[in-house]
């Protein structure tokens, strides 16, 4: 259990939090949500002790251990993967290192023997003999291959480091677990494993995530940060959304009835206050009027961008034909004779762990990369817009956002462009920001603005939800659901894929899997296929033994 007691944090004159009191109890998983800038990550830092509040305190039960998902991917580059994970339990790691140092001494003294005995007892009490196997189980569950467990951290890729740091946070059954965006850069298999881990985790979890499906799956409570306060709701993300909307509707309806009553009393008072026979009744109504208080309905700090993709022309039946495309990158064949055709109503999600292959295919179809073999042909009625996973080069200029957008605008008018950007949350002077200093989320909103202006009837989007907040993801999700054109997209957001795609493709080592179905149906069929494969292997093993 961990509690925040009268927490206030001021940055300059601004109060990010004001007198926050909240208790996080054992056996529950709390989703910490709020608009960008509301202070989600900051509040986790206060809980962890990494940041001191202006006033108030954080308390935990005596003897309990807190674990945090590290964000510095280079911090443990001089350690092995296994050591990095085990270091998640700092005391256990200290014991291991001190034991090793004692046993390596050439002049082993009686005092050393006593100390080693004490350490061995504490080591056994902390299940130290299982540490390496426990760490390996976590790593394997997250998709870090066994042969990498003894490797140095600086030998790993960025996505592999993310998984190791997550395993480090989970290691040793911490009493309180703080996770800031744990699904970022994880493949869908790793996310599914993490979901099951957290569902079965018996202690306290507090998690920040923009993945709505993930929050729905693992959370027992939602802690909503809005205007410096934290409101606690029982239930998952969808239940919070319905509850919060219902509460606002009820308050508005209650205020409407109160306003009607106020009007009725005011009219009576005005009509009869000068009437001697009615003066007592008028006075009584004045008192009643003074007692009526309207509920203070403060608008949420959440802001939803307006996203709406409208094709300039209707798409024909011939959309895209891909014929035997192959591509080798850095000596690895990522695409091997890939072929498929698209129909005019297809919304295709590319799923699976082979993200490099998907990105290569998207670049080829967008004309940014040449295939080694094979060809593709777009239909004559199609027009394409492309959202790259890495948009760095798109913003390598000193232009303002308005100037950057102007070449893509159908109307070469500053007022029109600024109005368009305002709907995408670049209001006022925000449109005059230089594009080379924009945040990741701001860049994504610029790219989506450009795609809207293009009027394309076919869109290719490579991980468009990266860097977006929950509100922007929701707005984009809704826009793509109603988009009348053709989509090819990749995303690690389960709900985004499930609600948008009507066709699933996976690029595997043995070729392309292409299914006309929803994502959940694809996963269900994939799980059944795996179970059949295991059953067949068991049957074959039994036959061999016979």
């Amino acid at each position: 259990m961990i509690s925040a007691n009268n927490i206030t944090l001021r940055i300059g004159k601004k109060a990010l939090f004001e007198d926050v009191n909240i208790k996080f109890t054992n056996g529950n998983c709390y989703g910490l949500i709020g608009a960008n800038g509301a202070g989600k990550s900051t509040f986790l830092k206060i809980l962890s002790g990494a940041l001191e509040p202006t006033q108030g305190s954080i308390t935990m039960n005596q003897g309990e251990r807190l674990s945090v998902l590290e964000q510095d991917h280079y911090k443990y580059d001089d350690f092995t993967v296994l050591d990095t994970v085990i270091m998640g339990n700092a005391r256990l790691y200290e014991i291991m290192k001190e034991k090793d140092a004692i046993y390596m001494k050439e002049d082993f003294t009686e005092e050393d023997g006593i100390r080693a005995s004490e350490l061995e007892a504490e080591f056994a009490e902390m299940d130290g003999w299982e540490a390496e196997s426990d760490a390996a189980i976590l790593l394997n569950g997250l998709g870090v291959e066994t042969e990498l467990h003894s490797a140095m951290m600086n030998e790993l890729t960025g996505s592999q480091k993310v998984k190791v740091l997550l395993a480090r946070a989970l290691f040793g059954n911490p009493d309180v677990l703080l996770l800031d965006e744990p699904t970022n850069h994880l493949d869908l298999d790793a996310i599914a494993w993490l979901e099951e881990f957290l569902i079965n985790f018996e202690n306290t979890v507090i998690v920040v995530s923009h993945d709505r499906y993930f929050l729905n799956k693992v959370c027992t409570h939602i802690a909503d940060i809005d205007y410096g306060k934290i409101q606690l709701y029982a239930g998952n993300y969808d239940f919070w959304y319905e509850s919060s909307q219902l509460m606002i509707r009820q308050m508005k309806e209650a205020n409407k009835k109160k306003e009607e009553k106020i009007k009725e009393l005011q009219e009576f008072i005005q009509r009869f206050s000068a009437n001697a026979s009615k003066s007592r009744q008028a006075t009584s109504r004045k008192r009643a009027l003074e007692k009526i208080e309207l509920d203070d309905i403060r608008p949420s700090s959440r802001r939803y961008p307006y996203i709406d993709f409208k094709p300039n022309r209707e798409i024909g039946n011939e959309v895209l034909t891909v014929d035997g495309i192959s591509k080798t990158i850095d000596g690895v064949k990522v695409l091997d004779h890939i072929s498929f055709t698209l129909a005019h109503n297809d919304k295709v999600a590319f799923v699976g762990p082979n993200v490099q292959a998907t990105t290569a295919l998207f670049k080829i179809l967008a004309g940014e990369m040449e295939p080694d073999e094979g060809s593709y042909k777009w239909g004559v009625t199609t027009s394409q817009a492309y959202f790259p996973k890495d948009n760095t080069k798109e913003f390598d200029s000193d232009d303002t956002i308005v100037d950057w957008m102007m070449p893509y605008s159908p109307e070469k008018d500053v007022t029109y462009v600024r109005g368009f950007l305002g709907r995408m949350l670049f209001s006022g002077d925000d449109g005059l920001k230089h594009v080379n200093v924009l945040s990741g989320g701001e860049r994504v909103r610029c790219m989506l603005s450009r795609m809207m202006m293009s009027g394309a009837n076919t869109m290719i989007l490579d991980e468009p939800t990266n860097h977006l907040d929950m509100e922007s993801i929701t707005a984009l999700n809704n826009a793509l659901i109603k988009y009348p054109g053709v989509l090819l997209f990749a995303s690690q957001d389960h709900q985004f894929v499930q609600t948008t795609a009507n066709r699933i493709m996976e690029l595997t080592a043995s070729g392309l899997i292409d299914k006309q179905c929803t994502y959940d149906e694809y996963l269900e069929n994939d799980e059944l296929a795996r179970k059949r494969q295991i059953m067949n292997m068991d049957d074959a093993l039994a036959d061999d033994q016979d």
Side-chain angles (χ1 to χ4, degrees):
M1 185 193 78
I2 186 169
S3 300
N5 312 298
N6 298 312
I7 292 295
T8 295
L9 179 68
R10 291 190 180 88
I11 301 174
K13 294 182 179 180
K14 180 185 175 183
L16 191 59
F17 298 107
E18 193 79 50
D19 296 325
V20 170
N21 290 280
I22 189 168
K23 182 183 291 185
F24 302 100
T25 58
N26 286 350
N28 291 315
C29 179
Y30 298 85
L32 191 61
I33 65 171
N36 265 7
K40 300 183 292 294
S41 296
T42 301
F43 190 69
L44 286 188
K45 289 178 182 177
I46 292 173
L47 290 175
S48 71
L51 182 64
E52 282 290 325
T54 307
Q55 67 181 48
S57 62
I58 301 298
T59 57
M60 281 180 60
N61 291 341
Q62 190 172 3
E64 289 192 340
R65 185 171 69 86
L66 181 144
S67 185
V68 180
L69 174 58
E70 295 273 4
Q71 301 297 321
D72 184 353
H73 296 176
Y74 303 98
K75 186 174 181 179
Y76 301 96
D77 273 1
D78 295 332
F79 297 90
T80 67
V81 168
L82 269 180
D83 275 358
T84 301
V85 175
I86 295 171
M87 287 166 71
N89 188 335
R91 178 55 189 156
L92 178 62
Y93 187 74
E94 288 171 5
I95 292 170
M96 291 174 67
K97 291 299 145 184
E98 188 176 351
K99 278 202 315 155
D100 289 346
I102 290 173
Y103 291 140
M104 288 176 66
K105 284 186 174 181
E106 293 183 3
D107 52 343
F108 192 84
T109 65
E110 183 178 348
E111 288 78 7
D112 289 330
I114 294 171
R115 180 57 181 161
S117 177
E118 292 170 348
L119 292 172
E120 289 290 3
E122 190 176 353
F123 184 71
E125 189 178 332
M126 298 178 73
D127 294 326
W129 298 111
E130 309 297 326
E132 290 194 1
S133 61
D134 288 346
I137 289 170
L138 292 172
L139 289 166
N140 289 332
L142 288 166
V144 180
E145 298 85 354
T146 303
E147 55 267 26
L148 291 176
H149 295 186
S150 57
M152 300 298 291
M153 284 289 284
N154 59 15
E155 299 173 21
L156 270 56
T157 65
S159 60
Q160 289 169 337
K161 285 184 177 181
V162 168
K163 292 178 178 180
V164 175
L165 293 177
L166 181 54
R168 179 187 181 279
L170 304 179
F171 177 76
N173 195 36
D175 300 288
V176 178
L177 181 57
L178 306 182
L179 302 175
D180 193 355
E181 296 291 356
T183 62
N184 276 6
H185 308 295
L186 291 188
D187 56 75
L188 291 168
D189 285 341
I191 292 173
W193 182 90
L194 178 61
E195 287 167 356
E196 290 303 314
F197 181 94
L198 295 179
I199 287 169
N200 295 311
F201 190 71
E202 296 180 352
N203 297 330
T204 305
V205 182
I206 306 169
V207 58
V208 172
S209 177
H210 290 146
D211 188 329
R212 296 159 296 167
Y213 181 88
F214 178 78
L215 292 177
N216 278 330
K217 197 85 183 281
V218 305
C219 289
T220 60
H221 295 74
I222 295 295
D224 179 29
I225 303 178
D226 212 352
Y227 289 110
K229 301 293 183 182
I230 302 182
Q231 180 72 37
L232 196 60
Y233 296 80
N236 62 14
Y237 179 80
D238 281 349
F239 187 82
W240 160 81
Y241 184 79
E242 294 298 329
S243 299
S244 59
Q245 295 303 304
L246 177 61
M247 186 183 300
I248 292 171
R249 287 196 298 270
Q250 288 174 337
M251 291 173 70
K252 286 181 177 179
E253 289 170 4
N255 273 357
K256 186 178 180 181
K257 290 178 181 178
K258 289 178 183 178
E259 287 168 351
E260 290 172 354
K261 185 65 175 177
I262 289 170
K263 185 178 179 182
E264 178 188 322
L265 292 171
Q266 286 173 336
E267 288 175 351
F268 185 92
I269 293 166
Q270 287 173 357
R271 285 176 61 192
F272 298 111
S273 59
N275 187 322
S277 64
K278 298 279 188 178
S279 63
R280 183 174 294 179
Q281 294 179 41
T283 302
S284 175
R285 280 166 172 76
K286 282 182 181 178
R287 290 178 186 147
L289 182 62
E290 290 169 357
K291 291 179 181 179
I292 298 176
E293 292 184 5
L294 295 177
D295 292 323
D296 182 19
I297 306 176
R298 194 173 186 181
S300 173
S301 59
R302 289 178 171 80
R303 299 165 68 206
Y304 291 82
Y306 177 80
I307 304 177
D308 189 17
F309 301 103
K310 293 181 179 178
N312 291 334
R313 65 183 294 186
E314 190 174 341
I315 199 166
N317 290 327
E318 293 185 7
V319 179
L320 174 66
T321 301
V322 175
D323 185 15
I325 282 184
S326 296
K327 184 66 180 179
T328 298
I329 299 176
D330 296 330
V332 178
K333 196 164 195 175
V334 295
L335 299 172
D336 190 4
H337 293 92
I338 301 301
S339 300
F340 60 88
T341 59
L342 293 186
H344 69 279
N345 60 350
D346 280 339
K347 292 184 176 179
V348 186
F350 284 77
V351 302
N354 198 352
V355 293
Q356 187 182 19
T358 300
T359 295
L361 178 63
F362 284 178
K363 284 184 175 181
I364 289 169
L365 297 179
E368 295 204 350
M369 181 185 287
E370 290 294 326
D372 297 335
E373 297 178 65
S375 62
Y376 64 94
K377 182 180 180 183
W378 290 102
V380 293
T381 63
T382 64
S383 55
Q384 301 86 40
Y386 173 51
F387 182 101
K389 181 184 291 188
D390 182 2
N391 56 38
T392 306
K393 68 177 183 180
E394 303 287 342
F395 298 92
D396 186 18
S397 85
D398 197 39
D399 287 344
T400 65
I401 300 176
V402 171
D403 292 338
W404 185 87
M405 284 292 299
M406 190 64 74
Y408 308 103
S409 174
E411 296 186 27
K412 308 304 178 187
D413 178 72
V414 172
T415 303
Y416 173 82
V417 172
R418 293 195 71 162
F420 193 97
L421 289 170
R423 294 186 300 174
M424 290 298 286
L425 309 184
F426 294 107
S427 56
D429 291 340
D430 286 345
L432 302 179
K433 283 184 178 180
H434 294 278
V435 296
N436 55 9
V437 298
L438 296 180
S439 68
E442 288 172 327
R443 288 185 179 188
V444 171
R445 281 189 274 123
C446 282
M447 294 295 293
L448 294 175
S449 299
R450 192 170 87 178
M451 295 182 82
M452 279 190 278
M453 285 183 169
S454 75
N457 57 22
T458 305
M459 296 197 299
I460 304 171
L461 301 105
D462 196 357
E463 302 286 358
T465 59
N466 285 358
H467 308 293
L468 289 183
D469 59 20
M470 195 87 76
E471 293 71 41
S472 297
I473 291 172
T474 300
L476 176 59
N477 195 174
N478 292 337
L480 293 182
I481 289 171
K482 69 177 186 178
Y483 175 62
V486 170
L487 285 177
L488 297 91
F489 72 97
S491 174
Q492 301 297 330
D493 187 313
H494 185 118
Q495 187 167 335
F496 190 86
V497 176
Q498 168 62 18
T499 55
T500 304
N502 58 22
R503 185 174 174 183
I504 306 296
M505 292 188 186
E506 182 175 357
L507 297 164
T508 71
S510 55
L512 175 69
I513 300 174
D514 184 359
K515 300 289 184 182
Q516 202 83 32
C517 64
T518 67
Y519 184 51
D520 283 346
E521 289 169 342
Y522 180 81
L523 292 177
E524 185 178 346
N525 292 333
D526 187 45
E527 184 64 25
L528 288 171
R530 288 181 186 178
K531 287 180 179 177
R532 289 194 196 99
Q533 185 179 22
I534 292 170
M535 289 172 63
N536 291 337
M537 289 172 63
D538 290 343
D539 290 343
L541 182 61
D543 290 342
D544 288 344
Q545 290 174 342
D546 290 341

